[in-house]
Structures are given as structure tokens and as C-alpha cells.
Amino acid sequence: MRTSLNVPDEVLEEFDRIWREQGIDNRSRAVREAMQEYIEAHSRLEETTGEIVALVGFDYRHHDVIGELHAVQHEYQGVILNTSHTHQGEWCLESLFCRGPAERVRDLTNRLRDFDGVRRVKVMVIRDEGV
């Protein structure tokens, strides 16, 4: 299937540089691989049930969303055990160490993704089932 995408020039340039350095045959192959990794990364949390331990990392523009982000974190304080915050220029990087029902961690992750000021959210499920 053919498709077209709108991608910022700098993102495409970096993507092309990386897949070429890795010796991948062409951009289509690299995009398919990236899409598969995206599916795998997001489906694990979607399919997980029961108690989990997870690390949720995200970056955001501090001044755009800090008040709302703190409100969400307080709403999910039952699963957030620890937070870490660092500054990266105009962006902030935050990590949340979570333990609790997979559904609750999934809801937290989805809430964080709803913010326009949040650039990306990554989740690493460390342990599931029988934590």
C-alpha cells in the first residue's frame, strides 16, 4: 500500500541518516520496521492486565502545561510512587515510577499524551502479573 505523510524536514533528515547508517536497504523498509516497533511498544501496555511496575517518561514545555500536569499527577498518586524531573533547555524531562493496576497506569499514560505541550510519552513495563 502506498501512503503519504507530512514529516518535518529535520525529522526526516535524521531518520534517513540513521537508517542509512544501520545499513537498511531503503526508507520504506525503515518505516515498516519503525511502525512495527511502535505497534509492539504500545500494544504491550494495552494488553497487560493485573498489577504492574512501570516507568513512564515524558518531555514537555514547562511553561505550557506544568499546572495541568501536576493536577494529573496528583489524580494518579495512588500509582505514582516516585517522580524525577530534569531540565533540558526549554524542555523538561520527567519520569514517573509507577506500581498498580495496569488499567490505571494505562489511563495515566493516555492522559499525559493528551497534552499539546507534551512532546512524547514512553512507557517501559518492568514487571507484570505477579509483581
Side-chain angles (χ1 to χ4, degrees):
M1 167 189 290
R2 286 198 171 272
T3 189
S4 65
L5 304 167
N6 291 321
V7 180
D9 290 340
E10 64 274 4
V11 172
L12 186 59
E13 289 168 8
E14 183 72 4
F15 183 75
D16 285 346
R17 182 188 63 77
I18 291 170
W19 66 260
R20 286 183 179 122
E21 284 178 1
Q22 293 180 342
I24 296 175
D25 293 337
N26 56 58
R27 184 187 288 155
S28 291
R29 171 78 176 146
V31 169
R32 283 192 303 272
E33 186 175 314
M35 290 174 80
Q36 187 60 42
E37 288 179 15
Y38 181 88
I39 290 166
E40 290 169 4
H42 287 79
S43 64
R44 178 160 187 215
L45 184 59
E46 291 302 316
E47 296 167 356
T48 300
T49 60
E51 291 282 310
I52 65 170
V53 173
L55 180 64
V56 179
F58 59 101
D59 59 344
Y60 61 95
R61 287 187 192 272
H62 179 86
H63 61 277
D64 290 349
V65 294
I66 192 62
E68 295 89 351
L69 281 176
H70 281 166
V72 168
Q73 288 181 14
H74 282 272
E75 197 177 316
Y76 288 86
Q77 65 185 345
V79 295
I80 298 173
L81 301 178
N82 187 297
T83 65
S84 178
H85 178 93
T86 186
H87 299 273
Q88 301 296 311
E90 66 182 56
W91 290 89
C92 293
L93 176 62
E94 189 115 2
S95 61
L96 310 175
F97 185 74
C98 302
R99 180 181 181 149
E103 179 180 336
R104 193 82 173 129
V105 175
R106 185 171 41 249
D107 290 347
L108 167 61
T109 301
N110 290 335
R111 288 283 302 277
L112 294 172
R113 287 185 174 131
D114 281 343
F115 288 99
D116 287 337
V118 172
R119 186 166 40 183
R120 77 187 73 120
V121 179
K122 298 282 188 175
V123 181
M124 179 173 51
V125 177
I126 300 169
R127 293 195 313 181
D128 57 21
E129 305 284 3
V131 172

